[in-house]
Amino acid sequence: MKISILVAAAALLTAACSSAQAANFEFWYGNTGSVEKAILAQCDAFNASQSANHVTCVGQGSYEVSMQKAIAAYRSNKHPVLIQFFDAGTLDLLLSDAVVPVQDVLPDVDWNNYIKGARSYYETSGGKLYSQPYNASTLLFYVNKTELEKAGFTEMPKTWEDIIEAARKLKAAGHECPYVTNGEPWSMFEQFSARHGLPIASEHNGYDGLNAEYVFNSTFVAKHLQNLVDWRKEGLVKIASDTKAGNYTAAFNSGECAMMENSSGSYTDSAKAFEGKYELSVGLTPMYKSYERHNTFVGGASIYIMKGHEQAEIDGAKAFLDFLRKPEQQMFMTASTGYVPVTTDVLDAIAKSGDAGSRKYATAAVGIESMNEPGTADTRGIRLGFYVQFRSVLMEETQKAFAGTETMQVALDNAKKRGDELLRRFEQTYKTAKLP
């Protein structure tokens, strides 16, 4: 009898130890700088808030590296429970068979509380949320109000026509860099297409099938990118390599350039750089007057739950995701980085906090407004295979146009051809897979 009691006690102790160990889980993220500091602060806050679970947050240096390592670790059964990954690789993860839909793991969460523009990028074609939006950004318009007012432009530019008028006044006043762009796809091409209601590819940007083909070379985006080339020749626009800093954000933050479009996630750094020197204004990205405004895409990243873990680890991960959804945690991320809240209740929480007018929340309302503009089937997001690689292709081709070695139309035609080759290769790779 004593032996039976000892065996039973040992079994209970083993189960308890196993459960305690399983409650420790890893979250891999891909950010550095101020965003990494905010993530680590949230990890520490979660661990301090309770004792049932413990998250270890592991930085991987970039989103791409984080995904590559996570998939490799999955194959060797050494993968984390949670992985943060950015928008462009959504389809790759959906078809990787390494993650499970967050909506299945957390069925009791009111996912409709998420801002439509923040969740549609990570939904299946049927509307099921695959990952939990986390450090969400969108594209905003940044203005050095001090420099514009010196040049005689007192209102915030709202259209591209306004920007060029302001740019000409700045140039006439001796400003060497009226407007600056990084020339990269997310800001210059993807977000422009979304808010102007333009498709990037057929099949509603791939949501309706893997047989999509790129169509951007025949939309108004081609005219806009050619305009940027022409305005650069006129001295109204600079790309990052034209600036003294060699970096467009640094060029704006130093006062070298007066206007730019940039991620909401850059706001905090810009505000700190401007402190005591310039007045910073941030607003909706500009439209061409003849177009109706639609929602911008969500940027930043979301958090996926990886397959193959014990229930105790999953329960710990669920508790962490619940913690990150809290309005006060979203407010902390916004105040620390400029990233935009992702649920509809946060603006009300900000209003009740007594800090509604604080500059630390300057991106919240405008970012939500931008992502909540009327949408179409082409403004949900981008669901295209090997899209991370395609961004490099588009950047390479459009830089040729900025360098003057070919026209922008030729550059976009070449990018479409190379992009379609990537899509066909992806389609062949996943020919037996069903698009979620």
Side-chain angles (χ1 to χ4, degrees):
M1 188 171 188
K2 289 181 179 178
I3 294 175
S4 298
I5 292 172
L6 288 173
V7 170
L12 287 171
L13 180 61
T14 301
C17 291
S18 175
S19 176
Q21 185 176 2
N24 288 270
F25 61 97
E26 286 191 349
F27 167 45
W28 288 9
Y29 63 89
N31 299 99
T32 58
S34 60
V35 183
E36 180 175 35
K37 290 179 182 178
I39 291 172
L40 291 176
Q42 289 188 311
C43 294
D44 290 341
F46 170 74
N47 289 333
S49 71
Q50 43 74 56
S51 58
N53 306 290
H54 186 278
V55 63
T56 300
C57 298
V58 184
Q60 302 295 340
S62 72
Y63 295 131
E64 292 91 338
V65 170
S66 183
M67 186 183 79
Q68 291 165 5
K69 285 187 176 180
I71 297 301
Y74 178 73
R75 290 170 182 155
S76 59
N77 200 32
K78 297 178 180 178
H79 55 294
V81 181
L82 298 175
I83 176 177
Q84 174 215 39
F85 195 58
F86 72 149
D87 49 2
T90 299
L91 183 58
D92 301 73
L93 275 186
L94 262 58
L95 296 181
S96 69
D97 197 37
V99 297
V100 292
V102 69
Q103 197 163 334
D104 286 348
V105 180
L106 289 161
D108 296 329
V109 172
D110 180 11
W111 296 108
N112 290 324
N113 189 33
Y114 273 80
I115 299 160
K116 185 177 180 180
R119 61 169 285 161
S120 60
Y121 214 118
Y122 307 115
E123 289 178 335
T124 66
S125 54
K128 179 185 287 187
L129 198 56
Y130 237 81
S131 57
Q132 179 167 303
Y134 177 42
N135 54 311
S137 64
T138 198
L139 193 67
L140 298 177
F141 184 48
Y142 289 70
V143 169
N144 186 326
K145 189 176 179 181
T146 306
E147 291 299 309
L148 258 70
E149 288 181 347
K150 283 182 183 178
F153 206 92
T154 57
E155 296 185 6
M156 180 82 164
K158 295 180 180 179
T159 66
W160 281 103
E161 291 83 357
D162 291 341
I163 285 179
I164 296 310
E165 181 184 350
R168 290 191 173 118
K169 287 186 177 182
L170 285 161
K171 183 184 177 186
H175 208 291
E176 295 183 3
C177 180
Y179 173 89
V180 66
T181 177
N182 62 356
E184 293 181 2
W186 185 76
S187 57
M188 185 182 69
F189 163 74
E190 296 169 24
Q191 296 286 6
F192 178 90
S193 295
R195 69 181 185 268
H196 285 81
L198 306 172
I200 289 171
S202 64
E203 301 298 323
H204 298 307
N205 292 345
Y207 274 73
D208 293 348
L210 295 178
N211 59 328
E213 297 181 0
Y214 284 108
V215 299
F216 59 83
N217 59 320
S218 60
T219 73
F220 186 69
V221 75
K223 173 61 176 172
H224 172 62
L225 295 183
Q226 183 59 50
N227 283 345
L228 291 178
V229 171
D230 296 339
W231 292 332
R232 181 169 174 248
K233 291 177 182 177
E234 192 180 340
L236 306 177
V237 169
K238 284 189 177 184
I239 58 176
S241 59
D242 298 331
T243 65
K244 296 173 185 176
N247 176 288
Y248 88 120
T249 302
F252 178 80
N253 289 353
S254 69
E256 178 184 351
C257 301
M259 298 179 285
M260 71 170 179
E261 293 173 278
N262 205 346
S263 166
S264 57
S266 296
Y267 175 80
T268 300
D269 290 339
S270 292
K272 287 179 180 177
F274 269 40
E275 196 169 341
K277 299 176 183 178
Y278 307 105
E279 184 178 352
L280 175 64
S281 290
V282 61
L284 295 173
T285 45
M287 297 288 299
Y288 280 90
K289 287 181 178 178
S290 58
Y291 279 81
E292 177 186 351
R293 183 182 291 276
H294 296 283
N295 66 279
T296 50
F297 290 145
V298 66
S302 61
I303 302 176
Y304 291 83
I305 300 172
M306 300 196 76
K307 291 182 177 179
H309 288 281
E310 298 294 330
Q311 188 59 47
E313 292 178 289
I314 297 296
D315 289 343
K318 288 163 63 175
F320 184 55
L321 292 174
D322 289 342
F323 178 81
L324 295 178
R325 271 199 312 279
K326 291 181 177 180
E328 57 266 31
Q329 288 305 315
Q330 294 187 55
M331 289 164 64
F332 169 78
M333 180 61 76
T334 296
S336 301
T337 65
Y339 279 98
V340 180
V342 291
T343 59
T344 58
D345 54 349
V346 177
L347 283 184
D348 187 48
I350 290 174
K352 293 177 180 178
S353 71
D355 286 332
S358 172
R359 294 193 66 81
K360 65 183 179 181
Y361 297 130
T363 62
V366 68
I368 289 174
E369 179 185 356
S370 185
M371 289 191 290
N372 264 350
E373 293 284 353
T376 73
D378 292 319
T379 65
R380 288 175 290 178
I382 300 170
R383 193 59 51 83
L384 301 168
F386 295 140
Y387 195 73
V388 177
Q389 295 92 319
F390 173 72
R391 278 180 168 173
S392 297
V393 167
L394 186 68
M395 185 75 174
E396 179 184 329
E397 292 295 343
T398 54
Q399 286 301 306
K400 294 176 184 177
F402 281 116
T405 59
E406 60 189 31
T407 66
M408 184 58 75
Q409 187 62 60
V410 169
L412 294 179
D413 289 345
N414 289 339
K416 179 240 181 341
K417 180 180 178 182
R418 294 173 62 186
D420 284 346
E421 290 171 356
L422 286 172
L423 291 178
R424 299 291 71 79
R425 199 171 82 207
F426 189 89
E427 184 182 20
Q428 184 64 25
T429 301
Y430 291 98
K431 60 183 179 182
T432 60
K434 184 179 179 181
L435 185 65

